[in-house]
Amino acid sequence: MARQNDSYSSLETFQSRIQIALWFVMICLFILFFRFFWLQVVKHTKYSTASESNRIAIITTQSQRGLIIDRNGIVIARNFPSYSLEITPAGVNQPIEELVTSLNTVIKISNKDRQNFYRSLQGAKKTESIALRNFLNDEEVARFMSRRYAFPGVEVQVRYFREYPYQELGAHLIGYTGRVSQKDREKLLAELEESSDETNSDELRPIKIKGIQQVGKIGLEQSYEKELRGTLGYSQVEITAGGRVVRNLSSTAPIAGSNLSLAVDIKLQYLMEHLYSKRRGAAVVIEVSTGDVLAFVSMPTYNPNAFIDGIDADLWKKLNDSPEKPLFNRPLRGTYPPGSTFKPFMALAALEGKFRTPEQGISDPGYFKFGNTTFRDDAVNGHGFVNMRQSIAVSCDTYYYILARDMGINAISAFMKDLGFGQISGIDINGEVRGILPSKEWKKAYYSDPSKQAWGEGDTISIGIGQGYNSYTILQLAQATAIIANQGVVMRPHLVKMIEDPITHQKSLTVPSETTRLNIKKENLAVITDGMIGVNQSGTGRVPFAGVKYPVAGKTGTAQVFSLGGKQYNAGAISEFKRDHALYIAFAPADKPKYALALVVENAGFGATAAAPIARQTLDYLMLNTWPEGVPAWKTAP
């Protein structure tokens, strides 16, 4: 009986275990079913999209940057293909650092290459191809290809890079391109968001930005970035989990950037840069009837090719620390007292404001006393009797001291503003500065100390000879000269003349035919022109312009940049950077002006000896096609 009871008890235990097992299985099945339902029904959209994203990648195709071409068809910024060693992180089967070290045994990877690579790697997608080393030669490519099997995720790609075949020539106007920075990306994103292009979807915008390898950093490369860049192409491709492309699903071809046809004559630019030799300075030459900027010189200069793949740190420091400031765009951002080149504009203001007639003159004793201050002329015993024409020709300071006092700062400031002094010219390159057009309002705003805010009559005296608070760019000085030469017609100065569509080759002008016209009397302009012709016939410019074979109007200028505290100026006794600037303005031919120019040679002394000879040789080339001795012949780059 006891044995029967034990069997019955064991059966009950077994049945209980079976039930527990069944419940366990049912719960597991329920969990599995619930999970299946959750993934397949509730989260279907999310995970199907993620799966699709992992399967499909978008690869961008680089567009060729537009060319920059001078007015004679000479290409001064172009592209060239080169091999790049690139890594796609998704396809790499080892730590990136180890991979880079291994690659260095096959192809030399510099510290700069590593830094650029790791900088680009930050925030990049794993499926994105990132350049580790650019500009591989054929031998390096062959060496890598023979060991390619050992480096999954690494490929050699052909990329287009920017090249400036004339190197330092015109570097400040052309500018350069460089790798895209975070700031550039933010700017590009804002640009794409504002674009009406339907292909700039939320999904494609970040991919397009990542696909842009280089952007213009400065000069025309930066100012015309949108036109030059073109449109990236992109392809939808199916990839494996390792990032390998299986097949192409769709693709859109890239569109090359537009070409820029410049107003600049690069041969003239070459000539002028050689005429400066190793001296510092700036020059602008304008075609008066169009506003075309034929030359835009900033010396010293630099080689923009050094920036294409990221500039070497040592070279960057050397360029930045140089007292010569080779990276400084002088015609655009440098401001200078105009010195005596300001006198023709003062004389014109006096005629237009009826403060003087051409025949009215003064007897110059060699100085002008104002209160307790004596303002001296460069001619110790004075120039004798001078009228307006003679005052320009011999550059009589005393005449303009008195004239400035009689006119007052309000009349001077108002007239000079119309000529563009202290104003943004609107030239088509970023970074232009305004300079200083002195006025009572300007001084009040400039000084925080109330005791220095009031304009004194003594302040006006120095303004008359282009000193004092006057501070203008050479671009503004050239523009004002061009306005006089163009009978008061104001043309906006511009470096780019036309933009060419890369597909249709249709060209569109960048500027209107005429900007504004100043109401200046022709007879007054004729008086100023006569005075400026006299400068080169019998005045301060007679030596550098001796024997000139075309009528030319000019004006020399020597601008003090350092106060001597009443001491006699002696160039040999002061450091170079405190010596006077040499300036010159001119237009030719004087009877029917075609060209106007302004230039400064920094700390070079008298305008007649340092600046005017550069102007003479420049105008001889423009007017007579005469190439100066000592300047190497122009050669078109291969």
Side-chain angles (χ1 to χ4, degrees):
M1 187 66 183
R3 184 177 299 170
Q4 187 178 2
N5 288 338
D6 288 344
S7 300
Y8 185 75
S9 176
S10 297
L11 181 59
E12 285 184 335
T13 301
F14 177 74
Q15 289 176 335
S16 297
R17 288 176 177 173
I18 289 294
Q19 288 178 348
I20 291 170
L22 285 172
W23 276 109
F24 178 76
V25 170
M26 290 180 66
I27 290 171
C28 288
L29 288 173
F30 176 77
I31 291 172
L32 285 173
F33 176 79
F34 179 78
R35 185 62 179 166
F36 177 80
F37 179 81
W38 180 261
L39 294 176
Q40 293 295 325
V41 179
V42 178
K43 292 293 182 179
H44 175 267
T45 303
K46 174 183 175 181
Y47 289 111
S48 63
T49 303
S51 173
E52 194 69 7
S53 298
N54 290 333
R55 185 178 69 88
I56 297 175
I58 297 177
I59 298 175
T60 56
T61 307
Q62 185 185 11
S63 59
Q64 282 212 50
R65 200 169 174 83
L67 305 176
I68 300 179
I69 307 165
D70 96 320
R71 68 186 294 119
N72 300 311
I74 300 171
V75 177
I76 56 178
R78 63 192 182 191
N79 310 303
F80 71 98
S82 183
Y83 296 113
S84 289
L85 185 69
E86 301 190 1
I87 297 175
T88 304
V92 174
N93 59 3
Q94 58 182 309
I96 293 289
E97 292 79 4
E98 292 180 11
L99 174 64
V100 172
T101 302
S102 301
L103 283 168
N104 191 40
T105 62
V106 181
I107 295 174
K108 183 172 176 53
I109 310 296
S110 68
N111 288 334
K112 188 183 83 171
D113 295 329
R114 290 172 187 259
Q115 290 169 3
N116 288 335
F117 171 75
Y118 288 120
R119 197 178 299 130
S120 300
L121 188 64
Q122 294 175 356
K125 285 189 172 184
K126 287 188 174 183
T127 54
E128 191 176 337
S129 182
I130 302 168
L132 174 62
R133 163 76 200 281
N134 291 321
F135 312 128
L136 273 63
N137 57 37
D138 292 342
E139 181 185 341
E140 289 172 322
V141 172
R143 201 184 311 140
F144 170 77
M145 295 306 285
S146 67
R147 306 234 1 231
R148 180 183 175 189
Y149 64 89
F151 302 105
V154 184
E155 294 287 348
V156 171
Q157 303 280 359
V158 176
R159 298 282 186 186
Y160 283 95
F161 295 90
R162 205 56 159 168
E163 180 185 31
Y164 305 100
Y166 296 97
Q167 303 187 42
E168 293 88 353
L169 181 59
H172 286 94
L173 73 94
I174 301 169
Y176 55 81
T177 61
R179 293 190 181 223
V180 179
S181 66
Q182 183 58 35
K183 187 177 179 181
D184 293 326
R185 288 195 180 92
E186 292 170 3
K187 189 176 177 181
L188 288 167
L189 182 60
E191 181 188 313
L192 291 181
E193 286 175 344
E194 293 173 2
S195 170
S196 58
D197 188 345
E198 295 179 355
T199 65
N200 291 327
S201 63
D202 292 343
E203 180 189 11
L204 281 178
R205 276 200 294 267
I207 295 169
K208 283 188 172 183
I209 291 171
K210 283 289 183 186
I212 298 172
Q213 305 287 320
Q214 301 267 318
V215 294
K217 294 289 186 178
I218 202 166
L220 293 176
E221 291 279 25
Q222 180 198 45
S223 303
Y224 284 88
E225 168 63 24
K226 283 177 67 175
E227 290 80 4
L228 288 166
R229 186 195 313 139
T231 304
L232 289 174
Y234 56 93
S235 303
Q236 281 191 320
V237 296
E238 189 173 0
I239 58 174
T240 65
R244 187 172 61 83
V245 175
V246 176
R247 62 185 174 124
N248 188 30
L249 301 176
S250 66
S251 61
T252 301
I255 301 173
S258 298
N259 299 326
L260 302 184
S261 294
L262 302 192
V264 173
D265 180 341
I266 201 64
K267 191 176 176 182
L268 173 67
Q269 180 88 17
Y270 168 84
L271 169 65
M272 294 190 74
E273 291 192 11
H274 272 80
L275 292 175
Y276 268 86
S277 184
K278 294 182 180 180
R279 293 173 290 184
R280 299 179 302 279
V284 175
V285 181
I286 297 177
E287 187 177 72
V288 298
S289 63
T290 61
D292 284 5
V293 176
L294 303 179
F296 192 81
V297 176
S298 183
M299 296 296 290
T301 182
Y302 61 93
N303 189 343
N305 290 307
F307 291 83
I308 293 171
D309 194 35
I311 189 168
D312 178 81
D314 291 338
L315 177 57
W316 176 246
K317 186 175 187 306
K318 182 180 177 183
L319 290 172
N320 273 286
D321 293 347
S322 170
E324 304 285 323
K325 297 182 178 178
L327 295 176
F328 185 52
N329 192 325
R330 285 174 161 82
L332 192 71
R333 302 184 60 79
T335 60
Y336 305 87
S340 293
T341 61
F342 203 54
K343 290 172 181 171
F345 307 105
M346 281 290 298
L348 184 59
L351 292 173
E352 287 291 311
K354 301 186 185 306
F355 291 95
R356 291 287 187 277
T357 65
E359 290 72 30
Q360 274 184 284
I362 65 162
S363 182
D364 173 23
Y367 61 87
F368 172 65
K369 288 187 73 69
F370 184 80
N372 296 324
T373 305
T374 300
F375 294 87
R376 298 197 177 278
D377 199 295
D378 63 332
V380 177
N381 297 318
H383 293 281
F385 180 82
V386 291
N387 60 21
M388 182 172 282
R389 290 182 177 85
Q390 292 164 333
S391 75
I392 296 173
V394 299
S395 199
C396 178
D397 288 341
T398 306
Y399 182 96
Y400 289 94
Y401 291 143
I402 298 170
L403 178 59
R405 180 203 60 185
D406 293 348
M407 291 181 66
I409 190 60
N410 288 343
I412 296 172
S413 183
F415 188 82
M416 298 305 168
K417 184 178 181 180
D418 287 344
L419 287 176
F421 287 107
Q423 312 302 308
I424 298 296
S425 73
I427 191 171
D428 51 339
I429 183 172
N430 297 338
E432 182 182 8
V433 301
R434 192 176 291 274
I436 297 172
L437 173 62
S439 67
K440 293 178 180 177
E441 295 73 22
W442 168 82
K443 191 176 181 184
K444 188 175 181 180
Y446 182 76
Y447 286 103
S448 56
D449 183 351
S451 66
K452 297 180 180 178
Q453 291 178 339
W455 185 271
E457 283 193 67
D459 293 334
T460 309
I461 309 300
S462 295
I463 298 298
I465 62 164
Q467 293 281 173
Y469 294 115
N470 282 313
S471 188
Y472 310 116
T473 66
I474 292 302
L475 173 62
Q476 289 168 353
L477 195 56
Q479 171 73 342
T481 307
I483 292 171
I484 288 181
N486 205 23
Q487 299 291 299
V489 176
V490 183
M491 300 299 301
R492 182 163 66 84
H494 52 272
L495 294 161
V496 176
K497 196 172 180 67
M498 289 178 286
I499 298 175
E500 180 188 28
D501 187 294
I503 299 173
T504 64
H505 299 291
Q506 185 176 354
K507 294 183 177 180
S508 55
L509 290 170
T510 60
V511 288
S513 58
E514 180 176 323
T515 307
T516 55
R517 183 184 292 265
L518 302 181
N519 186 23
I520 301 176
K521 293 183 176 63
K522 288 187 177 181
E523 56 268 31
N524 291 339
L525 288 167
V527 172
I528 304 306
T529 301
D530 284 348
M532 293 177 70
I533 292 173
V535 169
N536 294 329
Q537 289 180 338
S538 58
T540 54
R542 64 186 182 282
V543 173
F545 277 87
V548 65
K549 296 178 180 175
Y550 47 89
V552 55
K555 184 69 193 80
T556 56
T558 305
Q560 190 181 58
V561 296
F562 177 71
S563 175
L564 298 171
K567 297 179 181 177
Q568 186 71 28
Y569 177 77
N570 180 0
I574 57 178
S575 65
E576 180 188 342
F577 287 89
K578 292 181 179 178
R579 295 172 190 164
D580 294 345
H581 291 328
L583 296 105
Y584 193 81
I585 61 171
F587 58 84
D591 53 347
K592 196 174 182 181
K594 189 173 182 182
Y595 308 108
L597 62 80
L599 63 94
V600 62
V601 186
E602 293 181 4
N603 312 113
F606 296 115
T609 56
I614 294 177
R616 168 69 190 274
Q617 293 174 92
T618 300
L619 290 172
D620 280 355
Y621 169 71
L622 288 168
M623 298 294 300
L624 309 171
N625 199 29
T626 303
W627 194 259
E629 292 184 10
V631 176
W634 165 263
K635 290 182 180 177
T636 304

